[in-house]
Amino acid sequence: MSAYPHLFRTLDLGHVTLPNRVIMGSMHTGLEETGDWERLAEFYAERALGGVGLIVTGGFSPNPEGVLHESAAGLWDDSAIAGHRVVTDRVHACGGKIALQLLHAGRYAYSKGAVAPSAIKAPIAPYTPRALDAASVERQIADFASAARRAQAAGYDGVEIMGSEGYLLNQFLTRHTNHRRDAWGGSYANRMRLPVEIVRRVRETVGPNFIVIYRISLLDLVPEGSTWAEVVELAQAVEAAGASMLNTGIGWHEARIPTIAASVPRAAFAWVTAKLRPEVGLPVIASNRINTPEVAEAILAEGAADLVSMARPFLADSEFVEKAQTGRADEIVPCIACNQACLDHTFEGRIASCLVNPRAGHETELRYTRTREPKTVGVVGAGPAGLMAATVAAERGHAVTLFEASGEVGGQLNMARRIPGKEEFHGLVSSFERRARRAGVDLRLGVRADVDMLRGFDEVVIATGVAPRDPAIPSGSGANVVSYSDVLAGDAPVGQRVAIVGAGGIGFDVAEFLAHPGETPAPDRDAWLARWGIVDPEMAPGGLAGSGGEASEAERDISLFQRKASKLGRTLGKTTGWIQRLSLRRAGVRMRGGVTYDRVDAEGLHIKGPGGPELIPADTVVLCAGQEPVRGLADALTASGRRPHIIGGADMAVELDAKRAIDQGARLAAQL
Ligand code: NAP
Ligand code: SF4
């Protein structure tokens, strides 16, 4: 019997049967705008082959005014159908099913043509939208219906109508964004008319044999959000209007509450889906921070939902479902919810990929093909770059030996996993080690490789990583100056008053580590919800109590410094940096830029700021001033006449992160 019996039950929707209860949720990849339909088709085809029950595409606008940005993809023209056909044909040939998401951005559009129920600018968008007049509201309905007809003509198995996350349909629902006094505003019956009419007209257009998913916002997490009674009323109206399934969304994009970041406990919002399920007769889908088959199975087994939707886990591993089904769940490459290569890329206008799987979004170009000329490969350093290079090279058929001077694999990842909110890194390190061993990598832990040891290898890869940079701040007697690596390793005692030199990713991480030490590896869901002010939506509209979150008691008095005068934390991830900044601000961490460091003594850190010299009283000064490459072995090999491949931090320490290291390791190994 399957380890996940609920996950692998079929679902009969009348005209079609889904093979399991797993949906690949909508995720914009950026491939939609390239015009390279082959590449998009290949991306989805790999996921279809991996056994997912139903794929939902990234969002396509039903009309030009609904696009997320001026060059974003839409489906308002019949000429687009042929390209989509390439995708649907390929997915169907792989045995999969695929629905197209219709997304109208409303006031979230990064475009001067943005429209909305009322002319109220979103805090996360640059333009004030134009309020739609009544005739234009009617036209939105017709545009959704026409786009659904095109999706059907293009061979999709269904559409998902995006009604959550604060996009246009959601904007009509709440008084927060809908100040209209006509038939589309005022009473709730009026405010919900647009989404309900869209579902009705789409169903009329596509007929009964087509999946229509409506994505409903269960918790808006913004002021004046929908009440629970309104959510239930809408769900029932959408069901009556002909929806096949209800997907569930949590939090508007403008909400200042994390909903999918790594610090959000797994399945943190399944309880809200469970609350909706008995109110409707159609299948409901749970989403947000579901990243293992165990978590997904538990949601279904508890009766919280009929299906689960996962998006990012399918970037991390296209074979997620197949591995779970065939007793190989321990081979699933876990999504660590970092957003670094997926959502951060999307917001930067780049193709979405995955930190742990650089092939995601690059399927047609980065291929791990079996080698016809097996070589011996010596890799030095089992951090992310070395592990990835060794594993991919071994999977391709090379004989790989991986030397690691310490007693464990993981390198800098072993520091990341000690940070509160980054517990997912634990699973990543162990998954990396299992994958390397399975691929046949000869792992030599506790062995410091030298030139002689590497002599016999056909290829040598140096991934010796980085060492903390010493900014050489003069220190007098009694000064307690430590490096971040010693702090995170637990090797350096840290006092009550702390000054942190350097405010990059590691400075912020160390501040979080020292402010909230000992946070549990499996975060307590209820404590987390309370910390962010999230309550049962029956208690407060939108599920938001007060202003959303509270000050958290820090265990230490912490100050964070940088020399640049710019705002601290600018180099943090686009979609997660605000959470880190907010968390530290709430913990009372002081942040200052535009300083120079004079010296450290027993009293603390002496700096010069705009107001002149200052003493920052501190028991401990922690150096987080970036890193330098560790290249001793690489230089010695070069001096001996060899030409080693140098990757990761050993190659370039500036702005190194796990994403770049893993990508570089994978790309090198694909070519060896
Ligand atoms: P970093 O981001 O380059 O930051 C280094 C910090 O040290 C900066 O604040 C810099 O600011 C300061 N600094 C540099 N040289 C200095 C010197 N000589 N004296 C004093 N201060 C100096 O490096 P990192 O924090 O070590 O992080 C390394 C990499 O890991 C980065 O790419 C980072 O993005 C990544 N990372 C990411 C995350 C994440 O959450 N996504 C977390 C951890 C690490 P000033 O020059 O203005 O003083
Ligand atoms: Fe998950 Fe990070 Fe990959 Fe995005 S980049 S899919 S969050 S592991």
Side-chain angles (χ1 to χ4, degrees), residues 340 422 469 471 501-507 509 562-564 571 580 597 624-627 655-657:
Q340 277 177 253
K422 292 199 168 179
R469 175 186 292 133
V501 170
I506 289 181
D509 275 358
Q562 71 178 19
R563 296 170 304 175
K564 288 183 285 291
T571 57
Q580 291 176 275
Y597 310 109
C624 302
Q627 290 120 358
E655 290 182 6
L656 170 80
D657 59 12

Side-chain angles (χ1 to χ4, degrees), residues 592 605-616:
R592 287 188 54 184
L605 176 66
H606 295 261
I607 61 167
K608 267 202 201 83
E614 236 182 282
L615 167 67
I616 308 298

Side-chain angles (χ1 to χ4, degrees), residues 312-313 315-316 334-343 353-356:
R312 297 171 298 171
L315 293 181
C335 163
I336 55 172
C338 64
N339 285 359
Q340 277 177 253
C342 51
L343 286 183
S353 185
C354 176
L355 178 141
V356 300

